[in-house]
Amino acid sequence: MKANDIQELKRQALDEAAAAPTADALEAVRVKYLGRKGLLPDIMTGLKDMDPAERPLAGRYANELKQELGDTLAVRREAIEAAGRAAHRAPFDGTLPGNWRACGSRHPVSQVIEEAVRIFHGLGFTVADGPDLETEWHNFDALNTPADHPSRDVQDTFWLNDKTLLRTQTSPVQIRVMEGRRPPVRIIAPGRCYRRDTTDATHSANFHQIEGLYVDRQVSMADLKGDITHFAREMMGADVKVRFRPHFFPFTEPSVEYDFSCHMCKGAGCRVCKQSGWIEISGAGMVNPRVFANVGYEPEAFTGYAFGMGVERIAMIKFGIEDIRLLYENDVRFLEQFS
Ligand code: DAH
């Protein structure tokens, strides 16, 4: 055997490897050349009988044969396997269910707030905001709440020090807005409130209100009734009834409380409405002239209405939730019912 014969054999081996159609055929090529009884071991054994002058070159060619054939076999093996994988891949089936991902849901309290913002936006209201940590001035004094009013008591209010407290209502946002701009004012202010209430099925120390304030020339109680009735119908459905009852708040005069007919029993009487057919939603009234004086609005020139409604109340009757505590436990099985 000559060195050139080895070169010829290499070309042939590489051609065969590159053309092998299947894994078995490829393996046969490997065995034929590189296997224990294959051609390459034969050549290696034959080297010693060769013309010494030609032996080094022949040895080099034999090594090249081994190296290059090994590489070609590997490349071809990879290509055959890839083709096999592609052939076995199932054809696309558009009827199979897609990848499912657990998705969160909006909290009922957030849903009610978002819906209220949408409804009042349609009446020209924008959203205002205030801090949870309030001053005594904004939460009580400016709202015409007397120094000896029971709501200021430590039993009702979380005080941080003499002058600072966790707001007990969203009404201080009214003061902040009016201190900052001139009428006309048309805002709602959703937010958290804090009271030293013992938690039970209808009370929580932390709850939400939506404050509303509309100040302009000649705003009347009729505006309040009309806007609240519109809000009730949008929020609860067209068949809801609204009733206004006289009440007292220091910051409004006259003051009312208003109720929605019970969404659960449609007014017939049930557990949720304590058999009355009505659910108390909110306090409201015409802004007290003393409040206007406290923020520098001229009480002779302007009138306004205000309201502050309980978000959890609305969420409970809208979604049929009988215990307020469910809203704060964050049990996913509960929350995902409102997605
Ligand atoms: N802030 C009152 C409360 O928490 C609710 C309220 C009543 C707000 C009358 C008002 C209002 O703006 O005019 O009980």
Side-chain angles (χ1 to χ4, degrees), residues 168-169 171 174 195 209 211 249 251-252 283-285 306-308:
T168 60
Q169 49 193 356
S171 304
Q174 291 184 30
R195 282 183 206 174
Q209 286 186 339
E211 195 75 13
F249 294 101
F251 30 91
T252 41
F307 60 82

Side-chain angles (χ1 to χ4, degrees), residues 155-173:
Q155 284 175 3
D156 290 302
T157 301
F158 289 108
W159 289 90
L160 278 95
N161 56 43
D162 282 358
K163 296 276 162 232
T164 319
L165 49 88
L166 284 168
R167 69 177 176 196
T168 60
Q169 49 193 356
T170 43
S171 304
V173 182

Side-chain angles (χ1 to χ4, degrees), residues 56-200:
L57 190 61
R60 206 181 93 205
Y61 286 166
N63 276 329
E64 283 175 9
L65 167 70
K66 183 176 174 193
Q67 184 68 44
E68 290 176 33
L69 180 57
D71 290 349
T72 304
L73 287 170
V75 168
R76 185 62 193 145
R77 186 173 303 121
E78 179 50 41
I80 289 171
E81 283 172 5
R85 282 195 299 272
H88 281 98
R89 202 174 295 141
F92 176 73
D93 180 352
T95 67
L96 287 174
N99 289 335
W100 187 83
R101 270 164 220 253
C103 205
S105 55
R106 303 296 283 161
H107 194 282
V109 166
S110 303
Q111 289 188 38
V112 168
I113 291 176
E114 280 168 18
E115 181 69 0
V117 168
R118 183 190 70 74
I119 296 166
F120 280 102
H121 186 240
L123 295 172
F125 285 68
T126 54
V127 174
D129 198 11
D132 289 19
L133 272 185
E134 262 300 0
T135 64
E136 184 176 25
W137 166 257
H138 289 97
N139 197 83
F140 291 127
D141 298 317
L143 287 163
N144 193 40
T145 310
D148 60 355
H149 195 278
S151 65
R152 298 200 186 208
D153 201 309
V154 284
Q155 284 175 3
D156 290 302
T157 301
F158 289 108
W159 289 90
L160 278 95
N161 56 43
D162 282 358
K163 296 276 162 232
T164 319
L165 49 88
L166 284 168
R167 69 177 176 196
T168 60
Q169 49 193 356
T170 43
S171 304
V173 182
Q174 291 184 30
I175 303 299
R176 290 184 176 273
V177 168
M178 289 190 286
E179 282 174 342
R181 67 170 107 138
R182 297 285 300 161
V185 166
R186 223 188 275 217
I187 57 101
I188 61 167
R192 283 177 188 274
C193 305
Y194 307 82
R195 282 183 206 174
R196 295 188 63 136
D197 268 333
T198 306
T199 302
D200 63 22

Side-chain angles (χ1 to χ4, degrees), residues 254-297:
S255 302
V256 295
E257 268 186 343
Y258 57 86
D259 309 325
F260 290 177
S261 56
C262 180
H263 182 65
M264 302 290 285
C265 62
K266 303 289 173 208
C270 69
R271 249 184 78 189
V272 175
C273 60
K274 304 201 176 81
Q275 309 306 328
S276 73
W278 297 94
I279 308 248
E280 181 195 321
I281 298 293
S282 162
M286 302 307 295
V287 178
N288 192 314
R290 293 193 187 187
V291 173
F292 281 153
N294 286 338
V295 296
Y297 283 10

Side-chain angles (χ1 to χ4, degrees), residues 184-262:
V185 166
R186 223 188 275 217
I187 57 101
I188 61 167
R192 283 177 188 274
C193 305
Y194 307 82
R195 282 183 206 174
R196 295 188 63 136
D197 268 333
T198 306
T199 302
D200 63 22
T202 53
H203 293 86
S204 166
N206 176 206
F207 57 98
H208 297 75
Q209 286 186 339
I210 300 173
E211 195 75 13
L213 175 69
Y214 173 28
V215 183
D216 204 343
R217 296 174 197 278
Q218 299 184 354
V219 176
S220 75
M221 190 71 122
D223 294 309
L224 173 67
K225 293 177 79 172
D227 290 353
I228 292 298
T229 305
H230 169 74
F231 168 77
R233 290 186 183 148
E234 288 278 310
M235 179 65 87
M236 306 307 301
D239 55 347
V240 71
K241 294 192 185 57
V242 185
R243 98 180 161 183
F244 295 79
R245 294 175 283 108
H247 201 75
F248 172 81
F249 294 101
F251 30 91
T252 41
E253 180 59 37
S255 302
V256 295
E257 268 186 343
Y258 57 86
D259 309 325
F260 290 177
S261 56
C262 180

